[in-house]
Amino acid sequence: MELLPFGEYAASLNRKRTAAGVLLRDDRSRVLLVETTYKPEWEIPGGAVEAEETPWATAARELHEELGITRSLGALLVVDHVPTQGVMPEGLAFVFDGGLITEEEVGAIESTDPEIRSVRLCPPTEAGRLVKPPLHGRINAALSAVDRGVTIFCESGNPSEALFETVTLGP
């Protein structure tokens, strides 16, 4: 078998779309959701990773652009493999810990992003009625990851049954 020249090999590599979001929650484990203007389902703050941008930079940028919030992100909570869905190619979704947020902080958010209609804190069960099922799975996995101090790997929002399902964070 003849090897491809490196440039041809590199051009032939699969490209995956990548997205990054932030889990913000209150002391009752309600999660912050954003109502978008461009689709019926709600989302966590976040968006598509741009060319040459890291997922963690995307998460921080989107949090600031969408909600005007600037804060250091915590641990990587979830890595989710998202299969092809209609016209959207397969990809990876990352969820980072945004820490705790209060009702007062949420009430003070005045988004100037035309993509965001409103924000609110929702219990995970209510979030399940507002977001797509894979995101609901990602949210539940992220809440579990916070409690357990791990990163959880998912497939379509479902924790992976793979041997290395979780990675312990820290020492």
Side-chain angles (χ1 to χ4, degrees):
M1 180 173 142
E2 191 174 322
L3 295 177
L4 289 174
F6 186 74
E8 288 179 40
Y9 166 74
S12 74
L13 292 174
N14 183 39
R15 304 290 190 253
K16 291 186 185 329
R17 67 185 165 107
T18 309
V22 180
L23 179 76
L24 292 161
R25 66 205 181 286
D26 70 2
D27 58 3
R28 298 186 331 206
S29 293
R30 294 182 301 171
V31 297
L32 182 91
L33 296 181
V34 296
E35 180 184 20
T36 64
T37 57
Y38 57 91
K39 62 182 174 181
E41 298 87 14
W42 291 56
E43 294 284 342
I44 60 174
V49 175
E50 296 178 355
E52 302 300 324
E53 184 179 43
T54 63
W56 48 93
T58 299
R61 174 181 55 77
E62 289 284 347
L63 186 61
H64 180 74
E65 287 177 4
E66 292 180 351
L67 305 178
I69 297 173
T70 302
R71 60 167 64 182
S72 296
L73 298 179
L76 173 62
L77 300 175
V78 174
V79 178
D80 190 13
H81 176 263
V82 181
T84 300
Q85 300 167 329
V87 298
M88 295 300 286
E90 76 165 322
L92 295 172
F94 296 83
V95 179
F96 294 90
D97 189 357
L100 295 175
I101 193 165
T102 65
E103 272 189 65
E104 294 76 25
E105 289 172 311
V106 172
I109 293 172
E110 294 182 15
S111 179
T112 58
D113 188 327
E115 295 180 352
I116 305 303
R117 179 172 290 125
S118 66
V119 299
R120 74 179 192 206
L121 287 166
C122 298
T125 52
E126 181 182 348
R129 293 188 294 274
L130 297 172
V131 302
K132 287 184 176 180
L135 178 55
H136 188 235
R138 236 176 274 140
I139 289 169
N140 287 330
L143 288 169
S144 177
V146 167
D147 290 342
R148 295 168 51 201
V150 299
T151 298
I152 297 178
F153 299 97
C154 294
E155 297 176 24
S156 298
N158 298 307
S160 176
E161 298 299 322
L163 180 60
F164 300 105
E165 178 178 324
T166 58
V167 175
T168 303
L169 304 175

